[in-house]
Amino acid sequence: MAALKMHADEVETDAALVRRLLADQFPQWAKLPIEAVESAGTDNAIYRLGPDMAVRLPRRPSSIGQVEKEQRWLPILAPQLPLAIPVPIATGSPGGGYPWNWSIGPWLEGDDATVDRIRRIPAAATIWRGLSRLCSGLTPPAARGPAVTTSSAECRWPCEMRACAPPSPNGRAR
């Protein structure tokens, strides 16, 4: 069964496609169970692969740059954060009827952080404020590009990592 489409320009994905991609590029994982994951996310179709991995396939052209960005930055962020983040295990390439790069990462147990699941909004705000402060203390590699500060978070990261617009004349991200 194909995943539910969220966008007019979205490519079709399903467990059979994931199986073909794995068989061609990562045969060691091709026989593991594959299960489509319902998600509130709109950029990637997600499939659980066996008990401890996830396959993420960009849904449409505007999402394809995330694979490279995640491959580059998540391994740098992971050791600096006090929570688990999905550091990529492998990157797949186009094939089997699928046009773009895709990724395999660890399966992290949990639920999407949707409003209906966040029962204590003030507690969630406190957590996000703490993460923002933590983020401001992280040290990105200096050679990665110009840093910007956004008004919504006290976090300084190279634009290429955050997919932000160039700074405006007043120094804030647009």
Side-chain angles (χ1 to χ4, degrees):
M1 177 174 80
L4 179 65
K5 279 192 158 194
M6 297 183 175
H7 311 282
D9 61 347
E10 186 172 327
V11 298
E12 293 280 338
T13 66
D14 59 20
L17 169 64
V18 174
R19 178 100 39 225
R20 285 193 308 275
L21 290 167
L22 291 169
D24 289 346
Q25 299 177 41
F26 302 101
Q28 70 273 30
W29 297 322
K31 294 189 191 263
L32 292 174
I34 299 169
E35 178 185 343
V37 176
E38 286 189 40
S39 171
T42 64
D43 291 337
N44 294 282
I46 302 171
Y47 294 85
R48 188 163 185 173
L49 176 60
D52 57 1
M53 290 185 285
V55 173
R56 292 169 31 99
L57 303 167
R59 293 181 182 271
R60 59 192 186 142
S62 62
S63 303
I64 62 177
Q66 293 177 16
V67 173
E68 181 182 337
K69 193 179 299 178
E70 291 167 357
Q71 294 285 326
R72 182 174 185 183
W73 290 102
L74 293 181
I76 293 169
L77 289 173
Q80 300 184 64
L81 296 173
L83 66 156
I85 62 172
V87 176
I89 297 168
T91 303
S93 48
Y98 184 75
W100 306 307
N101 288 343
W102 50 282
S103 64
I104 300 172
W107 177 261
L108 299 178
E109 288 295 334
D111 294 315
D112 288 345
T114 58
V115 172
D116 61 312
R117 289 198 173 120
I118 300 174
R119 301 199 193 304
R120 296 175 55 204
I121 297 296
T126 300
I127 290 167
W128 283 112
R129 187 171 42 252
L131 285 173
S132 176
R133 286 187 183 134
L134 172 68
C135 187
S136 68
L138 298 179
T139 307
R144 302 285 192 205
V148 298
T149 301
T150 68
S151 57
S152 62
E154 300 167 3
C155 189
R156 293 181 56 83
W157 291 104
C159 282
E160 66 182 39
M161 180 188 160
R162 297 186 315 112
C164 66
S168 63
N170 68 4
R172 292 194 173 162
R174 291 183 196 155

